[in-house]
């Protein structure tokens, strides 16, 4: 199962490339992916029903119960066949459905397969947390599929509506999952949770309202996912999606997720008093309203959409009823609905594909023009209406018999009424699609592509074959139905005379009457106005938007100091509350310092802090703030933490440069604050926060009741992380998950900052094009043979002597250093700084590599090394200007960030292939001719990824806050040009 999920993931990623290479033929290859899941499930039939269902488990975080487990029992087997088999058929259908002019097929195919994989994970997962993970993945992928035609407003609105409604239910379900997992007797293992609920041990000793509340929250997720009243409105709106999407998501996959969850939980939770009223009321109401709305539709696709809503309500009633016989009928209807509704959606897609319309008022004579399609559609419609011997009839008759035997006449009456409407709209669909109508031009005979008619025929005939073999179908479905309490039911073609038979005759009679009297029914529906759930949704959305706007106007005043004050005071108040309520030990004694030097440094830092808040100039405040940072680094060094001191000093240096770059676009002075109350209030807040943080640190240190982790930490990092530098090993091994998340955030933040600064596309920026040409010319000088270098150097010197400005003077070897300075204005250049940059750039880079490779056992590491390399780039930028950035590296900052993330992620998963776990350090012992014994740890490669990400971050900051801000300031006339008047010609000259 896990392997199948991986295959789906790989296929989803590779789909765009496959479509680029193969075109629409890639649909055939992608169909093999969900098809393999269905074939595997069929292959496992004997094992599943032999009493030992296949189980796969991955140990991840056992302390939290986060051990993904996948299990293929009878219900999962059925859902896997539906999800995989129908998914494969629809992908084959897509091969012919989408024309040659269709766009974004690579994205469509990838998302479709990813959705199929998410559904496979959802129906096989045996952990509630993993179920929720795949649940939300289906939400995201369905959003992308429904909004495939994103250039159309209805598609965007439908996708947004679907994701809002289903995400609302999903968040409620997450709260319910957490409650059931943490309650006494609860569990995050799905099978254990159902068993505990069935045994009555769930929530023993807890407040009696907790379990019902959790049940309501979980059912809220199921009802929203399966489009039950009052959340049913999103499904008809989702018909804006391509028809194959409707055939899969809204017949076989996404909307079945809620039904599956109810069927999975019902054997244990149906006995709770809150369970049946919610499901039966919602299901019956949905069945009746959906059928009623279907009779008003003229769009065949919308007719099926409301019919789907009705059928989902019917199935939800059956699988959630809590009786064994009713549940068996529900499982049969689950399979029947997947086949006939997917087939009918594909029929509508084929009609629309061939004739360009889905309006039943414009279609006539299709029965003669497309006899094969008509035959397949007739089988599917008959199954939907409950006509023998189709599987839909078998499931409906089994439900009527089971409800009569149980004596549940209220539900029986609701099902009969809903089935009457089902028969009526089934006839309406067949008549609207295939009948010959007076006054409507008949269509001409067509020959459908076998890739269109084939999947339709297979699904329609599947409903017929399953219907004539009810005993075999029952044998496959009864293992899950037996988990329910109550009397056993049966799937048969003839159950004898009785109330169910009379009800079936009445259903067909009333259904035919409603169809024959369709004009009168339409007039009656026009007079009867039912409140629209869609209008209610839009009203709620408008109310929420208005409320959020009012709250934002009241809270978001635009004052950053006010925001900061609220956050700090809230933090202090929360900490104080915790201390007051739960702190009992006494305070430990304080040791003010270990040496007088620490006291002196601390006093100087405090004085500097006072000077910062009293400073009127922004630049002065930044420089004094840097002094505080360097003082902190000195305190780290005096405390015996050279690694922290080194990192603090490097970060402070880069931060100082960052502040200076930003301050160039800000006024030199802080804004005036004439009100004394404002200044006094901020002084008080600062004083309270400072004292409170110190007291909280003191209290936290006093609250220790166990020996500190630092006692055994040095030995543990050596044993498990194979290093002696505690800080570095912590970052790349023991807390590597944190580091991986942090570098992901760094990558996203760098991309976001650069996107905000660059208001134009980077690839088309004239300055960067010229810089790239400069880089090419410079690399030509560096990379050519010695004779060629000398010739190029002589040409550059000669051109400089002809009065073209300061020449690029090569050294005796023909090499040119800092060629970007030739583009700077004379007042911008500094000879001392250029020579200094030439002297220190390479030593700094080499030292950064030393820190990278020695950081596992000595002070340093990838972060410190990357910061130092970034400082080297900063020096080169300050000496040579913004064009020099292109010479610093031939790779764009974004590419460096991406390469670094790729290296780190690869290093994280490499230990899996050697018997370890993700991010577990693996050591390779090598013997090399020169170096003798070498111990190579995978953590080093993870550190290399961190190193590259830090370099990319610094380079991205320089490109955006440095070079781009320079360009914008010059374009706006806010600063004097840094470039020489003939800089453009010089760049082009060098490029030539």
């Amino acid at each position: 199962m896990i392997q199948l999920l991986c295959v789906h993931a790989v296929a989803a990623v590779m789909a765009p490339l496959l479509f680029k290479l193969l075109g629409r033929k890639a649909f055939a290859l992608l169909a093999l992916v969900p098809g393999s899941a269905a074939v595997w499930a069929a292959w496992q039939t004997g094992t599943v029903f032999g009493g030992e269902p296949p189980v796969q488990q991955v140990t991840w975080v056992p302390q939290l119960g986060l051990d993904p487990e996948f299990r293929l029992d009878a219900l999962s087997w059925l859902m896997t066949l539906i999800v995989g088999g129908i998914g494969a058929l629809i992908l084959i259908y897509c091969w012919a459905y989408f024309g040659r002019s269709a766009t974004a097929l690579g994205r469509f195919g990838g998302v479709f397969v990813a959705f199929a994989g998410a559904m496979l994970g959802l129906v096989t997962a045996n952990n509630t947390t993993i179920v929720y993970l795949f649940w939300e993945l289906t939400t995201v992928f369905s959003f992308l599929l429904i909004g495939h035609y994103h250039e159309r407003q209805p598609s965007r609105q439908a996708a947004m509506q679907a994701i809002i409604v289903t995400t609302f239910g999903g968040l409620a379900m997450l709260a319910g999952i957490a409650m059931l997992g943490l309650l006494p007797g609860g569990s995050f293992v799905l099978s254990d949770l159902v068993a505990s609920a069935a045994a009555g041990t769930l929530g023993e000793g807890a407040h009696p309202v907790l379990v019902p509340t959790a049940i309501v929250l979980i059912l809220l997720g199921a009802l929203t996912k399966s489009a039950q009243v009052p959340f049913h409105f999103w499904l008809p709106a989702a018909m804006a999606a391509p028809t194959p999407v409707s055939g899969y998501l809204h017949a076989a996959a996404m909307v079945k997720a809620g039904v599956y969850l109810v069927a999975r939980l019902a054997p244990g939770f149906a006995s709770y008093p809150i369970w049946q009223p919610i499901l039966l009321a919602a299901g019956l109401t949905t069945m009746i309203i959906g059928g009623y709305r279907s009779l008003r539709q003229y769009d065949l696709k919308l007719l099926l959409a409301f019919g789907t809503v009705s059928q989902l309500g019917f199935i939800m009633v059956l699988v959630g009823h809590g009786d064994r016989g009713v549940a068996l009928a529900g499982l049969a209807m689950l399979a029947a609905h997947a086949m006939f509704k997917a087939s009918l959606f594909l029929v509508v897609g084929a009609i629309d594909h061939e004739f360009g319309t889905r309006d039943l008022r414009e279609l006539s004579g299709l029965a003669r023009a497309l006899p094969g399609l008509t035959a397949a559609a007739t089988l599917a419609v008959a199954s939907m209406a409950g006509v023998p011997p189709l599987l839909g009839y078998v499931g409906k008759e089994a439900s009527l018999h089971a409800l009569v035997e149980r004596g549940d006449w209220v539900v029986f009456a609701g099902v009969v009424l809903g089935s009457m409407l089902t028969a009526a709209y089934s006839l309406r669909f067949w008549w609207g699609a295939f009948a010959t109508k007076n006054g409507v031009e008949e269509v001409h005979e067509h020959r459908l592509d076998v890739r269109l008619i084939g999947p339709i025929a297979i699904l329609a005939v599947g409903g017929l074959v399953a219907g004539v073999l009810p005993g075999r179908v029952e044998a496959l479905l009864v293992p899950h139905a037996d988990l329910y309490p109550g009397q056993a039911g049966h799937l048969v073609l003839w159950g004898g005379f009785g109330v169910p038979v009379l009800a079936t005759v009445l259903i067909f009679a009333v259904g035919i009457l409603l169809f024959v009297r369709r004009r009168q029914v339409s007039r009656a529906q026009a007079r009867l106005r039912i409140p629209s759930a869609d209008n209610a949704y839009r009203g709620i959305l408008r109310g929420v938007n208005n409320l959020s706007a009012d709250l934002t106007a009241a809270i978001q005043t635009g004052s950053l100091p006010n925001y900061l004050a609220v956050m700090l005071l809230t933090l202090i108040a929360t900490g104080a509350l915790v201390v007051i309520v739960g702190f009992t030990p006494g305070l430990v004694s304080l040791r003010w310092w270990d040496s007088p030097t620490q006291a002196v440094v601390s006093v100087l830092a405090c004085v500097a802090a006072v000077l910062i808040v009293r400073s009127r100039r922004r630049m002065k405040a930044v420089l004094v703030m840097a002094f505080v940072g360097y003082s902190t680094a000195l305190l780290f060094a005096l405390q015996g933490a050279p690694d922290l001191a080194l990192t603090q000093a490097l970060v402070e240096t880069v931060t100082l440069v960052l502040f200076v770059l930003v301050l160039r676009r800000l006024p030199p002075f802080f804004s005036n604050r004439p009100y004394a109350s404002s200044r006094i209030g901020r002084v008080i807040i600062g004083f309270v926060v400072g004292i409170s943080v110190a007291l909280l640190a003191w209290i936290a240190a006093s609250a220790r009741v166990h020996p500190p982790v630092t006692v055994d930490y040095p030995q543990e990092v050596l044993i498990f992380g194979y290093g002696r530098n505690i800080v570095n090993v912590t970052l790349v091994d023991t807390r590597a998950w944190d580091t991986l998340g942090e570098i992901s955030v760094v990558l996203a933040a760098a991309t976001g900052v650069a996107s905000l600064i660059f208001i134009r596309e980077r690839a088309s920026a004239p300055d960067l094009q010229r810089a790239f040409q400069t880089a090419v010319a410079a690399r030509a000088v560096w990379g050519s043979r010695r004779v060629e270098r000398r010739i190029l150097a002589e040409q550059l010197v000669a051109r400089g002597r002809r009065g073209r400005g300061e020449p690029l003077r090569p050294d005796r070897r023909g090499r040119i250093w800092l060629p970007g300075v030739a583009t700077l204005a004379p007042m911008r250049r500094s000879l001392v700084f250029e020579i200094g940059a030439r002297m220190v750039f390479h030593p700094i880079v080499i030292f950064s590599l030393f820190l990278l490779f020695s950081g596992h056992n000595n002070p340093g590491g990838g972060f410190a090394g990357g910061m130092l390399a970034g400082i080297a780039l900063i020096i080169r930028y300050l000496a040579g200007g913004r064009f020099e950035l292109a010479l610093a590296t031939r790779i764009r900052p974004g590419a460096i960030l991406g390469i670094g993330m790729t290296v780190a992620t690869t290093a994280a998963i490499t230990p899996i292939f050697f018997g370890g776990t993700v991010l577990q350090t693996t050591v390779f012992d090598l013997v090399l001719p020169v170096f003798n014994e070498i111990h190579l740890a995978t953590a080093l490669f993870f550190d290399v990824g961190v190193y590259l990400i830090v370099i990319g971050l610094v380079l991205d900051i320089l490109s955006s806050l440095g070079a781009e801000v320079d360009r914008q300031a010059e374009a706006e006339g806010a600063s004097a040009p840094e470039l020489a008047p003939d800089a453009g010609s010089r760049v082009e000259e060098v490029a030539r």
Side-chain angles (χ1 to χ4, degrees):
M1 286 170 277
I2 297 176
Q3 293 85 342
L4 286 173
L5 293 176
C6 293
V7 169
H8 280 78
V10 172
V13 173
M14 295 296 294
L17 178 61
L18 292 177
F19 278 92
K20 187 175 181 180
L21 297 175
L22 303 176
R24 292 177 299 158
K25 294 179 182 178
F27 278 119
L29 285 179
L30 293 181
L32 298 175
V33 178
S36 64
V39 171
W40 176 79
W43 183 265
Q44 296 292 329
T45 301
T47 306
V48 170
F49 296 97
E52 296 183 1
V55 176
Q56 278 187 304
Q57 186 177 29
V58 177
T59 301
W60 188 26
V61 188
Q63 296 84 351
L64 300 178
L66 297 179
D67 293 333
E69 180 180 305
F70 298 90
R71 187 168 178 263
L72 191 72
D73 59 5
L75 181 60
S76 298
W77 174 85
L78 173 63
M79 290 299 300
T80 301
L81 286 179
I82 292 174
V83 170
I86 296 180
L89 291 174
I90 291 180
L91 283 171
I92 295 295
Y93 178 91
C94 290
W95 186 2
Y97 178 82
F98 289 104
R100 298 182 183 275
S101 61
T103 59
L105 291 184
R107 182 187 67 204
F108 175 86
V111 176
F112 192 101
V113 173
F115 178 87
M119 277 299 303
L120 176 63
L122 191 155
V123 301
T124 57
N126 195 33
N127 304 81
T128 53
T129 51
I130 305 302
V131 167
Y132 175 76
L133 170 65
F134 286 110
W135 185 281
E136 290 305 307
L137 285 177
T138 61
T139 297
V140 174
F141 293 138
S142 66
F143 168 78
L144 297 174
L145 290 172
I146 294 171
H148 176 69
Y149 298 126
H150 57 84
E151 68 280 0
R152 306 175 185 175
Q153 185 178 6
S155 295
R156 297 195 301 271
Q157 291 178 343
M160 186 62 67
Q161 190 177 78
I163 197 171
I164 289 175
V165 174
T166 54
T167 301
F168 165 74
L171 292 175
M173 189 182 79
L174 176 61
I177 287 173
M179 292 177 65
L180 291 181
L182 298 175
L183 283 171
S187 174
F188 289 103
V189 178
L190 194 52
S191 56
D192 294 346
L193 180 64
V194 174
S196 177
T201 59
L202 179 61
E204 282 185 339
H207 195 283
V209 78
L210 292 179
V211 174
T213 301
I215 292 175
V216 171
L217 292 173
I218 289 181
L219 290 182
L220 188 59
L223 295 178
T224 55
K225 200 76 163 183
S226 290
Q228 301 295 289
V229 170
F231 309 105
H232 63 288
F233 54 87
W234 71 262
L235 194 150
M239 294 302 106
T243 301
V245 172
S246 302
Y248 191 49
L249 271 65
H250 307 135
M254 178 183 176
V255 293
K256 291 295 196 302
V259 174
Y260 163 79
L261 184 63
V262 170
R264 177 64 70 190
L265 297 177
F269 288 89
S271 59
Y272 285 84
I274 196 68
W275 180 272
Q276 281 196 356
I278 293 177
L279 286 178
L280 298 184
L284 289 175
T285 305
T286 303
M287 184 181 184
I288 294 171
I289 289 180
Y292 173 82
R293 292 291 300 274
S294 292
L295 297 178
R296 299 182 59 182
Q297 306 305 317
Y298 294 98
D299 186 329
L300 291 175
K301 196 173 179 182
L302 278 179
L303 191 156
L304 289 180
F306 282 102
T308 300
V309 170
S310 177
Q311 291 289 309
L312 289 172
F314 180 32
I315 300 172
M316 189 69 78
V317 168
L318 299 182
V319 298
H321 191 281
D323 179 76
R324 184 179 303 174
V326 179
L328 179 62
L331 296 176
M333 283 303 304
L334 177 66
H337 179 263
M339 287 187 284
F340 69 68
K341 193 54 65 72
S343 176
L344 290 176
F345 270 117
L346 299 186
V347 167
V348 173
I351 293 174
D352 192 16
H353 182 271
E354 296 297 321
F355 305 107
T357 182
R358 304 193 303 256
D359 194 327
L360 57 83
R361 295 168 295 188
E362 300 175 2
L363 295 170
S364 179
L366 264 73
R368 285 196 294 266
L370 297 170
L373 181 66
T374 304
T378 301
L379 288 176
V381 169
S383 185
M384 181 168 64
V387 176
L390 281 302
L391 184 58
Y393 163 80
V394 173
K396 184 197 67 176
E397 289 298 302
S399 68
L400 296 177
H401 279 276
L403 290 172
V404 169
E405 291 178 4
R406 187 178 175 85
D408 198 338
W409 297 106
V410 175
V411 177
F412 178 84
V415 170
V416 170
L417 178 58
S419 299
M420 293 173 181
L421 297 173
T422 301
Y425 69 69
S426 298
L427 290 172
R428 180 180 178 84
F429 176 87
W430 194 97
W431 169 81
F434 300 102
T436 300
K437 306 177 183 68
N438 295 328
V440 181
E441 183 182 356
E442 295 188 27
V443 299
H444 300 291
E445 184 176 351
H446 271 64
R447 181 180 181 85
L448 282 181
D449 192 310
V450 68
R451 294 167 297 179
L452 287 176
I453 189 65
I456 297 172
I458 291 173
L459 291 171
V461 173
L464 175 62
V465 173
V468 298
L469 298 173
R472 180 56 180 162
V473 174
E474 178 183 335
L476 297 174
L477 302 180
V478 77
H480 183 74
D482 284 343
L483 300 177
Y484 287 74
Q487 299 177 356
H490 297 285
L491 300 180
V492 294
L493 285 172
W494 174 248
F497 288 101
V499 176
V501 175
L502 296 176
T504 299
V505 174
L506 182 63
I507 287 170
F508 288 132
V510 175
I512 294 172
L513 179 63
L514 290 174
F515 169 70
V516 173
R517 299 289 184 179
R518 54 187 175 275
R519 289 190 176 87
Q520 292 86 337
V521 171
S522 297
R523 287 195 292 267
Q525 287 182 320
R527 291 192 296 268
L528 179 62
R529 295 190 175 276
I530 299 177
S532 172
D534 187 51
N535 291 337
Y537 160 80
R538 297 184 187 281
I540 293 173
L541 205 59
R542 284 194 300 268
V544 171
N545 289 336
N546 293 335
L547 177 61
S548 63
D550 294 340
L551 288 176
T552 301
I555 297 174
Q556 300 290 331
T557 60
S559 173
L560 294 180
N562 288 346
Y563 300 157
L564 186 60
V566 171
M567 289 187 290
L568 291 176
L569 291 177
T570 303
L571 173 65
I572 297 307
T574 305
L577 181 62
V578 172
V579 171
I580 293 172
V581 173
F583 181 71
T584 53
L587 295 175
V588 298
S589 60
L590 290 177
R591 187 173 70 250
W592 295 99
W593 57 71
D594 292 325
S595 68
T597 307
Q598 292 176 327
V600 173
V601 174
S602 300
V603 170
L604 292 176
C606 293
V607 172
V610 174
L611 293 176
I612 292 172
V613 298
R614 290 184 57 84
S615 175
R616 294 288 296 118
R617 287 182 173 272
R618 298 179 190 271
M619 187 62 70
K620 175 184 175 182
V622 168
L623 294 176
V624 178
M625 186 172 62
F627 176 82
V628 176
Y630 290 122
S631 299
T632 305
L634 182 56
L635 287 176
F636 287 152
L638 293 174
Q639 192 65 29
D643 210 331
L644 294 179
L646 175 63
T647 303
Q648 173 68 26
L650 294 174
V651 170
E652 195 63 44
T653 302
V654 175
T655 305
L656 175 62
V657 174
L658 174 62
F659 270 110
V660 172
L661 291 176
V662 173
L663 288 182
R664 295 178 301 165
R665 299 302 305 272
L666 296 177
F669 292 93
F670 289 108
S671 58
N672 292 323
R673 300 186 183 89
Y675 298 107
S677 59
S678 175
R679 295 195 299 271
I680 294 174
R682 295 177 184 183
V683 169
I684 294 175
I685 292 175
F687 179 80
V688 170
V689 171
I691 295 298
S692 299
V693 169
L695 288 176
L696 287 175
W698 189 8
I699 292 171
S702 303
R704 185 186 299 279
V705 294
H706 296 288
V709 69
T710 53
V711 175
D712 300 319
Y713 209 58
Q715 189 65 23
E716 289 180 354
V717 298
L718 180 61
I719 295 174
F720 298 105
Y722 306 97
R724 300 183 183 277
N725 183 346
I726 297 177
V727 175
N728 183 259
V729 175
T730 299
L731 292 175
V732 299
D733 185 272
T734 57
R735 298 295 297 272
W737 276 109
D738 293 347
T739 305
L740 188 62
E742 289 162 2
I743 60 178
S744 302
V745 172
V746 166
L747 189 149
T751 304
V753 170
S755 300
L756 291 174
I757 298 297
F758 282 93
I759 60 175
R760 58 204 173 95
E761 188 178 354
R762 299 189 192 186
S764 62
D767 283 347
L768 292 184
Q769 287 181 347
R770 294 177 181 176
F772 181 73
Q773 292 173 351
T774 306
V776 171
R779 295 295 178 184
V781 174
W782 278 83
S784 57
R785 293 191 296 265
R786 179 173 300 181
V787 176
E788 295 173 349
R789 286 202 304 268
R790 187 175 298 278
I791 294 173
L792 286 172
E794 291 175 354
Q795 292 176 348
L796 291 171
V797 172
R799 289 175 183 175
R801 289 172 180 169
R802 287 198 295 268
R804 299 294 299 276
E806 289 294 325
L808 297 175
R809 299 185 182 278
D811 59 15
R812 287 179 296 180
R813 296 185 179 181
R815 296 178 301 182
I816 299 174
W817 228 94
L818 295 177
V821 300
T823 64
L824 296 179
M827 66 181 66
R828 170 66 174 78
R829 296 184 59 180
S830 171
L831 181 60
V832 175
F833 196 69
E834 291 174 11
I835 295 175
R838 176 186 300 186
M839 294 178 62
V840 302
F841 178 78
H842 292 96
I844 291 178
V845 172
I846 293 174
F847 187 60
S848 74
L849 293 173
F850 170 78
L851 292 178
L852 167 65
F853 290 106
S854 66
H856 214 57
N857 292 290
N858 298 295
F863 185 82
M867 278 291 172
L868 191 60
I871 291 174
L873 295 174
I874 291 172
I875 293 173
R876 190 160 178 175
Y877 160 71
L878 295 176
R882 67 175 185 261
F883 286 137
E884 192 64 28
L885 278 179
L887 302 174
T889 175
R890 299 186 67 174
I891 306 178
R892 293 179 178 273
I896 297 177
L897 289 168
I899 293 173
M901 195 66 197
T902 302
V903 172
T905 306
T906 303
I909 64 176
T910 297
I912 296 178
F913 302 100
F914 297 92
T917 59
V918 177
L919 289 171
Q920 177 183 349
T921 300
T922 302
V923 175
F924 303 95
D925 296 323
L926 306 175
V927 179
L928 300 179
V930 178
F931 300 96
N932 295 326
E933 294 184 1
I934 297 294
H935 305 284
L936 194 61
T938 54
L940 172 63
F941 299 100
F942 185 83
D943 224 8
V944 170
V946 174
Y947 177 85
L948 293 175
I949 288 175
V950 173
I951 293 177
L953 171 66
V954 175
L955 195 57
D956 218 0
I957 291 174
L958 292 177
S959 300
S960 54
L961 297 179
E964 179 63 11
V965 169
D966 290 342
R967 188 201 64 80
Q968 293 179 8
E970 293 172 9
E972 297 170 4
S975 64
E978 291 190 351
L979 301 183
D982 60 344
S985 61
R986 294 192 193 183
V987 174
E988 294 172 0
E989 176 183 349
V990 173
R992 288 197 300 269

